[in-house]
Amino acid sequence: MTMHSVKITSDGRIQIPAQLRREMNLRAGETLNLELHDGTLSVRRPSKTLERIRARLAPYLAPDADLQGDLKAMRIEDAQRDTGRG
C-alpha cells in the first residue's frame, strides 16, 4: 500500500493523485462515497459501498431475496396508502 499526501483547499476540496485515479479507474464527474470511521476517511465507489452492505446483510437474508423488488413494492404500497387508493 502506497501512502499519498494531499492538501485541503480553503473550500474543503482535496485532489486525488493521478496514480490513484488510474488505479481506481476514476473519471471526472464520478460520484464517490466517503465514510468516516474511528478517525479514518475511506473513499469508495457507490458499487463497492453496495457490495459491503450486501455482504453485511447476507447472513440475515434468504439466498433468493429480492431487496430491490421488495423495497419498490413497499414504496408503492406507501404511496397508495398516502393517496387513499390502498
Side-chain angles (χ1 to χ4, degrees):
M1 179 167 76
T2 305
M3 180 70 68
H4 295 270
S5 295
V6 297
K7 291 186 179 184
I8 301 173
T9 64
S10 60
D11 63 350
R13 295 173 189 242
I14 61 170
Q15 184 174 9
I16 300 172
Q19 178 185 350
L20 291 177
R21 292 193 313 268
R22 281 191 298 272
E23 288 178 20
M24 292 182 70
N25 196 29
L26 296 175
R27 302 288 178 240
E30 265 190 82
T31 297
L32 298 172
N33 292 337
L34 303 178
E35 180 182 24
L36 182 62
H37 183 72
D38 291 335
T40 300
L41 182 64
S42 298
V43 180
R44 289 187 187 85
R45 283 196 148 93
S47 59
K48 292 296 182 185
T49 300
L50 186 56
E51 285 176 18
R52 282 185 74 217
I53 292 169
R54 284 183 174 150
R56 285 183 182 174
L57 291 176
Y60 308 102
L61 300 173
D64 59 346
D66 179 14
L67 293 180
Q68 187 174 2
D70 292 345
L71 179 59
K72 183 177 180 180
M74 288 172 26
R75 292 181 74 187
I76 290 170
E77 288 175 19
D78 287 345
Q80 289 173 342
R81 185 174 36 255
D82 291 344
T83 60
R85 296 185 331 211

